[in-house]
Amino acid sequence: MLTVALPKGRLADEALVWLGRAGWPLPVGENERRLIVPSHDPNLSYLLTKPMDVPVFVEQGAADMGITGLDVLRERGADVFEPLRLPFGYCRLSVAAPADRPDRPLRLEISPRVATKYPRLADAFFRRRGISAELIVLSGSVELGPLVNLADLIVDLVETGETLRANGLVELRPILHSQAVLIVNRASYRLHTAAIAPLIAALRAVIEERKREESEGAC
Ligand code: PRP
């Protein structure tokens, strides 16, 4: 019996499209509140978790596999097998500031207050630059920070840049380029290679096929 952790929310929808293309047994059932969802195959089920928690479930072996964002994976620092990057969920983790901030290099910031959902990655970024930042950890709507004088800067995900623009913020520096990634518990992979390896191979094959089609279409 294998379990796959999926993040509830937008990544899950695209994940299911790709899993379907690869012929993985998909979740079945109508009850949206169920957190353990069976599939057509009695040997595979899904766990629906908060996006930030997928790496925890997989690293601890509560799920054998999972789909998460590279941003979340690095923030959690989980020790898992990462066999495959997936072609969706593209975004970047960036430092952003109010558009009217004086035009000075980041390294000249003195103890900025930084609002973020990613304290580990934000802390590493500022430390590397010798900046002693005060981190203000939020769980969402991080862009509010500078607007209400809770923070001087933010470290948050940027996809289209719409949320930054709508809130008078500008991107200063990308910290991490992210996309969806398939992760596997290391012990599960060793124990259940015969079941897991074909699932990875099927997913890899449809991704490669799609890439080929796109590059042929571009020619
Ligand atoms: C994410 C992220 C940004 C926004 C970026 O927020 O934290 O706020 O999306 O997308 P954009 O560049 O396309 O505007 P999410 O919608 O997950 O909600 P949250 O702010 O509550 O975390």
Side-chain angles (χ1 to χ4, degrees):
M1 180 76 183
L2 294 177
T3 51
V4 181
L6 290 182
K8 287 192 277 182
R10 47 182 151 174
L11 217 51
D13 297 339
E14 278 188 277
L16 290 173
V17 169
W18 281 96
L19 296 183
R21 284 178 186 148
W24 286 39
L26 292 179
V28 290
E30 293 299 308
N31 189 342
E32 287 184 0
R33 295 199 176 258
R34 256 182 104 166
L35 299 176
I36 301 181
V37 187
S39 77
H40 293 292
D41 182 341
N43 293 315
L44 192 138
S45 63
Y46 292 87
L47 303 185
L48 302 181
T49 79
K50 284 274 187 191
M52 271 287 178
D53 295 338
V54 169
V56 180
F57 279 86
V58 175
E59 183 181 33
Q60 298 298 321
D64 301 288
M65 294 181 273
I67 290 179
T68 185
L70 208 52
D71 54 325
V72 166
L73 184 59
R74 298 290 176 258
E75 174 64 24
R76 286 298 202 169
D79 178 19
V80 291
F81 177 35
E82 300 171 34
L84 197 57
R85 300 272 167 102
L86 306 170
F88 56 90
Y90 292 102
C91 58
R92 53 200 183 273
L93 185 69
S94 289
V95 185
D100 56 8
R101 166 185 175 273
D103 188 16
R104 63 165 173 260
L106 258 185
R107 67 184 153 75
L108 297 182
E109 289 289 335
I110 299 160
S111 303
R113 296 166 303 156
V114 181
T116 189
K117 284 187 287 191
Y118 296 83
R120 181 186 166 114
L121 294 173
D123 186 56
F125 173 83
F126 287 104
R127 269 175 200 275
R128 275 199 303 275
R129 278 154 188 78
I131 300 169
S132 93
E134 180 195 338
L135 296 177
I136 296 165
V137 184
L138 299 176
S139 351
S141 302
V142 172
E143 292 85 354
L144 263 179
L147 304 186
V148 296
N149 196 27
L150 177 69
D152 305 303
L153 303 170
I154 66 167
V155 166
D156 199 21
L157 294 182
V158 182
E159 190 181 342
T160 61
E162 265 313 305
T163 312
L164 289 184
R165 271 191 294 284
N167 292 290
L169 302 171
V170 288
E171 196 174 352
L172 297 182
R173 185 78 60 91
I175 292 182
L176 174 82
H177 289 274
S178 184
Q179 69 186 90
V181 57
L182 178 72
I183 57 175
V184 184
N185 175 272
R186 292 189 183 281
S188 296
Y189 188 72
R190 280 195 298 275
L191 285 172
H192 307 296
T193 312
I196 293 175
L199 292 172
I200 298 173
L203 202 44
R204 182 175 285 122
V206 289
I207 291 169
E208 291 300 324
E209 187 187 320
R210 188 54 64 104
K211 261 195 221 152
R212 255 197 318 278
E213 283 170 9
E214 281 174 5
S215 67
E216 281 165 17
C219 291

